[in-house]
Amino acid sequence: MAADKLKGPGNFLEAAVKISHTSPDIPADVQLSMKDHLLRRTRISRQTTEPASSNRHSSFKKHLPRQMHHVTSLDRGGEFLDVDPTCTAASLGRIQPELYKQCTMEAEDSSKNDNGKTCGKINFSLKYDYEGELLLVTILKAFDLPAKDLCGSSDPYVKIYLLPDRKRKFQTRVHRKTLNPTFDETFQFPVPYEELVSRKLHLSVFDFDRFSRHDMIGEVILENLFEASDLSRETSIWKDIQYATSESVDLGEIMFSLCYLPTAGRLTLTVIKCRNLKAMDITGYSDPYVKVSLICDERRLKKKKTSIKKNTLNPTYNEAIIFDIPPENMDQVSLHISVMDYDLVGHNEIIGVCRVGSHAEGLGRDHWNEMLAYPRKPIAHWHSLVEPKKSEKEWKTRTASFDSQGSCPSPRLPSSP
């Protein structure tokens, strides 16, 4: 029987007990006991040296949920620590996306704030004095301003305008080395109550610098003075300070119409009126007129102008200006409109400009294309005035050949290499 048992495990056991068959001095029962002892040692050695099979891992996974189900709480001096029964070995080490939702939302909020480019907040109040016809503007305080100095602080102050009038402005005191200044200063703007609808409050926050140009921190423009109340009582307002490197100036607007007759090759620009122009004189008014230049290949071919309107910021013209332009040259020309302030002594000053044409930007291009799409029909739009660029100022020094009809010459062929 012992010999039969030893046949399965391997031939090395038979070699180990062959000496017992050839030795007559060892009794048969001792030989059997030696075989049993050797078999037990072989089993022990195989159990300790052979690698464990994968069945043990699968049995561990089967028993783990049952073991954790029985241990649902730990007794620690009367306090129980609950264990989530849904936590299993399969969930260990798994990423749970819901844990990262809050961090993602916070990151999105911070990126939105960065895109908004806010530079702190400012608190001010508005009230209208009906007896004195005065708008009372009180600058209360600012909060969380950016640091402009090397020491990590700023020396802030605020400029106050009531647009479109820029001749009258006020300024707060400078507060040294603070990012949260408290001003508590009140300023009075004389203005009739019925004009408040067309006025805008402009606050510019600066950092004072004794030895160089003052740095602009940001600005706030309140488009509607009646945004919070009817101004019958003092109303406190908080606004975000918008990032800006220079003061945005409201120069006013101009309305004109465009009409083109393809058969006659005639372009008619009718200057209708302007509104809220920038005051250029000491009196708080201007003497505006409109100058229109025909531009082709960045050269001024012809210019015409309207009459002068004295002492007004809202002139009305209703004057037509005509240019003869062949249809084949319409995509090569543009019109440069300048609103000027007439000065009896000295040079006339530019209040603002705008441009229309196929190569213009924004509304100037759209107005031009609409005119071409609807021939023989006047198309009118309001255009905002902007400051002239350097290239536009250079047009004054340029001259060009011009035919008797004032039409744009045909484009020149490119020179051969």
Side-chain angles (χ1 to χ4, degrees):
M1 294 176 60
D4 295 336
K5 293 180 180 180
L6 296 176
K7 288 181 181 179
N11 295 329
F12 70 96
L13 292 179
E14 295 179 359
V17 297
K18 274 184 180 179
I19 188 173
S20 63
H21 294 285
T22 60
S23 178
D25 299 333
I26 302 175
D29 55 347
V30 176
Q31 292 180 13
L32 292 174
S33 64
M34 289 177 63
K35 291 179 181 180
D36 295 336
H37 178 69
L38 184 59
L39 183 60
R40 284 195 301 270
R41 289 187 60 185
T42 304
R43 288 177 177 176
I44 294 173
S45 63
R46 290 186 64 190
Q47 183 176 0
T48 56
T49 57
E50 286 184 356
S53 63
S54 59
N55 295 331
R56 296 182 63 226
H57 292 285
S58 60
S59 63
F60 171 76
K61 294 179 182 179
K62 292 178 181 179
H63 290 287
L64 183 60
R66 290 199 297 269
Q67 293 174 1
M68 297 191 67
H69 179 73
H70 291 298
V71 187
T72 56
S73 62
L74 299 177
D75 187 3
R76 293 186 179 181
E79 296 181 358
F80 294 94
L81 178 62
D82 295 334
V83 179
D84 188 3
T86 61
C87 180
T88 63
S91 64
L92 294 177
R94 181 181 298 172
I95 296 177
Q96 301 180 14
E98 60 272 9
L99 299 178
Y100 301 91
K101 289 182 180 179
Q102 183 175 1
C103 298
T104 305
M105 293 175 63
E106 292 177 355
E108 291 177 354
D109 293 340
S110 62
S111 64
K112 289 179 181 179
N113 293 335
D114 294 340
N115 295 333
K117 290 186 178 181
T118 57
C119 303
K121 294 178 177 291
I122 189 169
N123 181 212
F124 58 94
S125 66
L126 299 177
K127 183 182 178 181
Y128 188 76
D129 182 6
Y130 292 91
E131 295 182 358
E133 291 190 339
L134 300 172
L135 178 65
L136 307 179
V137 181
T138 303
I139 308 299
L140 299 174
K141 56 187 174 181
F143 175 73
D144 197 20
L145 297 179
K148 291 292 185 177
D149 300 335
L150 297 177
C151 62
S153 185
S154 295
D155 303 322
Y157 67 93
V158 182
K159 288 183 180 180
I160 304 99
Y161 300 91
L162 190 61
L163 302 179
D165 180 15
R166 283 193 169 270
K167 293 295 183 181
R168 183 185 298 273
K169 70 175 181 179
F170 295 99
Q171 179 178 316
T172 66
R173 295 188 300 270
V174 178
H175 289 251
R176 299 286 184 178
K177 300 185 184 304
T178 178
L179 301 179
N180 302 284
T182 300
F183 299 101
D184 284 333
E185 298 183 46
T186 302
F187 307 96
Q188 299 179 354
F189 290 92
V191 54
Y193 184 80
E194 56 272 11
E195 292 186 9
L196 292 177
V197 180
S198 59
R199 296 297 190 99
K200 302 176 184 178
L201 183 66
H202 185 194
L203 307 179
S204 300
V205 185
F206 285 86
D207 170 54
F208 176 82
D209 197 332
R210 178 175 297 177
F211 302 105
S212 63
R213 185 178 180 180
H214 300 177
D215 297 326
M216 187 171 184
I217 296 177
E219 65 180 3
V220 172
I221 299 179
L222 186 63
E223 301 282 347
N224 182 13
L225 296 178
F226 298 96
E227 179 180 302
S229 69
D230 59 354
L231 305 180
S232 59
R233 58 181 181 178
E234 187 173 6
T235 304
S236 178
I237 302 173
W238 279 95
K239 286 290 183 180
D240 291 330
I241 302 174
Q242 301 299 321
Y243 173 80
T245 55
S246 60
E247 290 185 278
S248 59
V249 181
D250 188 6
L251 303 177
E253 295 176 291
I254 181 173
M255 174 186 276
F256 58 86
S257 67
L258 296 175
C259 181
Y260 184 66
L261 301 178
T263 55
R266 179 175 299 174
L267 173 63
T268 302
L269 184 148
T270 303
V271 181
I272 301 174
K273 58 183 176 180
C274 299
R275 65 184 180 188
N276 298 331
L277 295 179
K278 178 183 177 182
M280 305 295 289
D281 300 336
I282 301 178
T283 58
Y285 294 98
S286 296
D287 302 325
Y289 68 93
V290 180
K291 181 177 65 176
V292 182
S293 301
L294 176 65
I295 307 298
C296 180
D297 194 20
E298 296 299 327
R299 301 175 70 87
R300 185 174 64 188
L301 302 181
K302 196 171 185 179
K303 65 177 180 180
K304 297 183 179 181
K305 60 183 180 180
T306 66
S307 59
I308 301 172
K309 304 298 180 181
K310 294 286 187 176
N311 297 324
T312 178
L313 299 178
N314 301 278
T316 300
Y317 298 97
N318 291 321
E319 300 180 26
I321 296 176
I322 300 174
F323 296 100
D324 294 325
I325 306 173
E328 60 269 16
N329 296 124
M330 285 298 293
D331 59 344
Q332 303 167 7
V333 301
S334 61
L335 297 179
H336 180 253
I337 298 97
S338 303
V339 180
M340 310 290 294
D341 174 52
Y342 174 77
D343 197 342
L344 185 61
V345 180
H347 296 285
N348 298 339
E349 297 179 280
I350 300 178
I351 298 177
V353 301
C354 68
R355 191 173 185 175
V356 292
S358 58
H359 301 290
E361 299 178 355
L363 181 59
R365 181 183 62 251
D366 297 339
H367 194 177
W368 186 267
N369 293 335
E370 188 177 359
M371 172 198 68
L372 296 178
Y374 298 95
R376 297 177 295 276
K377 179 181 179 182
I379 307 296
H381 283 293
W382 280 103
H383 291 258
S384 297
L385 298 176
V386 298
E387 294 182 349
K389 299 179 181 178
K390 292 183 180 180
S391 60
E392 294 170 349
K393 292 179 181 179
E394 293 175 357
W395 289 341
K396 295 181 180 181
T397 61
R398 295 186 177 184
T399 58
S401 61
F402 180 70
D403 61 354
S404 58
Q405 293 182 351
S407 62
C408 179
S410 300
R412 296 186 300 270
L413 295 175
S415 58
S416 59

